[in-house]
């Protein structure tokens, strides 16, 4: 099953996860802990398509571009307040 984009889940992610993503804008594969947070934020019971046996999730080019844009618009250590426009 396909999964929602990081952009569509962004407002549902906790500030620590958003901060981790902004601090690691060059990531192409998300570690298990971050994948788990995305899974919970999506409210889906089934595991995302593409998750490997280690629980890691490869990012799509669109997700990578979104994370890089977020990293530029809200540098690490300066979280975007909830409800504020992110870009």
């Amino acid at each position: 099953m396909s999964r929602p984009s990081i952009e569509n889940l962004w407002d549902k992610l906790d500030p620590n996860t958003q901060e981790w993503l902004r601090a690691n804008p060059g990531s192409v594969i998300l570690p298990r802990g971050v994948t788990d947070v995305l899974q919970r934020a999506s409210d889906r019971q089934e595991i995302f398509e593409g998750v490997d046996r280690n629980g890691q999730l490869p990012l799509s080019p669109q997700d990578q571009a979104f994370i890089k844009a977020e990293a530029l618009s809200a540098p690490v250590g300066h979280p975007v307040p909830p409800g504020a426009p992110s870009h």
Side-chain angles (χ1 to χ4, degrees):
M1 164 162 257
S2 64
R3 65 176 176 82
S5 68
I6 301 288
E7 183 174 8
N8 289 340
L9 293 175
W10 190 257
D11 291 336
K12 295 181 178 182
L13 299 177
D14 63 273
N16 289 332
T17 302
Q18 290 178 351
E19 183 91 354
W20 188 93
L21 290 166
R22 284 195 313 274
N24 297 279
S27 295
V28 294
I29 298 175
L30 297 180
R32 177 184 298 181
V34 177
T35 301
D36 289 345
V37 171
L38 292 174
Q39 184 75 45
R40 285 191 303 274
S42 76
D43 296 326
R44 292 188 181 184
Q45 299 301 314
E46 65 277 349
I47 295 175
F48 288 151
E49 182 180 321
V51 173
D52 69 16
R53 62 187 171 98
N54 296 315
Q56 298 175 324
L57 178 67
L59 290 172
S60 69
Q62 293 82 9
D63 285 338
Q64 291 174 33
F66 175 78
I67 292 167
K68 287 176 184 175
E70 285 297 317
L72 291 173
S73 69
V76 175
H78 299 90
V80 176
S86 57
H87 36 285

